[in-house]
C-alpha cells in the first residue's frame, strides 16, 4: 500500500507541481539558473543548490500557509484564497527580469552549491512561487504534498534551464507559457470560489 495514497494527497501534489512548474518558467529564479549554468557549466552543484533552497523556502511558505489555514475559518477564507489565485494569474502574465551580474569566481563544488543555495533561497523570498506555495497549503490543508509538489515543479522548470542554458530559455514560447500558467492559477481561483 502506498502511504498517503488518498485522493487529496495526489490532488495537492499534482496541482502544486503543475502550477509551480508553469509559474517558474521565465521566473527570475529560472533566469538565475540559466546565468549560473552559463557561468559555471557545472550542473550537479547548481541543481543540488536549487533543490535544497527550494525545499527550505517552500517548507517555510507551506508551514506559514498551514498555520494560517488552522486559524482561518468562515466563508471569507474561500474568497481570500480564490482571489489570491486570480491575482497570481495576473502576476504570472508579467515577465520577470534579472539584473545581469558577473558570477562569483568560486569554482569548487561546495562553493557553487553554497552560492546557488543562498542565491535561490533569497531570490525566492516573496516570489510568486513561494507565495503560491503558501496559498496552496491553505487551499489543500496538506503541507507535505504541497512542499513535494512545489519543489518538484521548481525542479521540472529549472533542470532543463541548467542543462540547456540560455539557448533553451530564449527558444521557449514564454508568452504562451505565461498564459498557460495564468490560466492554471485563474482556474484554481475560480474553482475555489465556485466549488468550495
Amino acid at each position: 500500500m502506498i502511504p498517503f495514497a488518498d485522493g487529496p494527497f495526489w490532488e495537492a501534489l499534482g496541482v502544486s507541481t503543475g502550477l509551480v512548474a508553469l509559474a517558474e518558467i521565465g521566473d527570475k529564479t529560472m533566469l538565475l539558473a540559466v546565468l549560473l549554468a552559463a557561468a559555471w557549466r557545472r550542473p550537479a552543484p547548481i541543481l543540488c543548490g536549487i533543490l535544497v533552497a527550494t525545499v527550505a523556502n517552500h517548507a517555510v511558505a507551506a508551514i506559514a500557509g498551514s498555520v494560517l489555514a488552522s486559524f482561518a475559518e468562515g466563508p471569507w477564507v474561500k474568497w481570500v484564497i480564490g482571489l489570491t489565485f486570480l491575482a497570481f494569474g495576473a502576476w504570472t502574465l508579467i515577465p520577470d527580469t534579472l539584473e545581469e551580474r558577473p558570477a562569483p569566481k568560486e569554482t569548487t563544488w561546495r562553493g557553487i552549491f553554497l552560492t546557488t543555495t543562498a542565491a535561490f533561497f533569497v531570490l525566492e523570498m516573496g516570489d510568486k512561487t513561494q507565495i503560491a506555495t503558501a496559498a496552496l497549503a491553505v487551499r489543500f490543508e496538506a503541507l507535505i504534498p504541497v512542499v513535494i509538489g512545489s519543489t518538484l515543479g521548481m525542479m521540472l522548470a529549472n533542470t532543463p534551464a541548467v542543462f540547456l542554458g540560455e539557448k533553451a530559455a530564449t527558444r521557449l514560447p514564454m508568452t504562451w507559457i505565461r498564459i498557460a500558467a495564468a490560466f492554471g492559477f485563474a482556474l484554481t481561483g475560480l474553482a475555489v470560489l465556485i466549488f468550495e
Side-chain angles (χ1 to χ4, degrees):
M1 184 169 158
I2 301 171
F4 308 108
D6 58 337
F9 178 90
W10 295 109
E11 180 185 6
L13 179 73
V15 170
S16 298
T17 301
L19 286 179
V20 170
L22 282 173
E24 179 62 13
I25 296 175
D27 190 68
K28 64 184 176 252
T29 47
M30 183 183 178
L31 299 176
L32 176 62
V34 169
L35 290 175
L36 294 176
W40 284 319
R41 301 190 196 293
R42 293 191 59 194
I46 294 169
L47 289 172
C48 289
I50 293 170
L51 177 63
V52 169
T54 301
V55 168
N57 194 292
H58 288 200
V60 168
I63 289 168
S66 293
V67 168
L68 178 62
S70 69
F71 290 111
E73 293 183 21
W76 63 273
V77 174
K78 89 171 190 173
W79 287 98
V80 170
I81 295 169
L83 293 174
T84 299
F85 278 107
L86 290 173
F88 288 145
W91 186 5
T92 301
L93 293 172
I94 302 168
D96 275 344
T97 58
L98 184 67
E99 294 176 25
E100 240 187 277
R101 295 182 182 145
K105 306 238 185 286
E106 185 65 64
T107 57
T108 65
W109 197 99
R110 182 176 175 264
I112 293 170
F113 166 76
L114 292 174
T115 302
T116 302
T117 302
F120 262 78
F121 185 84
V122 170
L123 200 57
E124 189 65 11
M125 294 300 274
D127 193 55
K128 66 181 162 266
T129 50
Q130 184 196 37
I131 297 168
T133 300
L136 288 161
V138 172
R139 160 68 179 88
F140 289 108
E141 297 180 21
L143 179 85
I144 292 171
V146 167
V147 172
I148 293 169
S150 64
T151 300
L152 182 58
M154 286 284 285
M155 296 310 292
L156 286 172
N158 286 307
T159 298
V162 169
F163 280 108
L164 302 176
E166 259 180 275
K167 291 184 187 202
T170 57
R171 291 184 185 191
L172 290 172
M174 295 300 203
T175 301
W176 289 106
I177 291 169
R178 275 194 293 278
I179 290 170
F183 185 70
F185 279 122
L187 279 180
T188 303
L190 290 172
V192 168
L193 292 173
I194 295 169
F195 301 112
E196 295 285 317

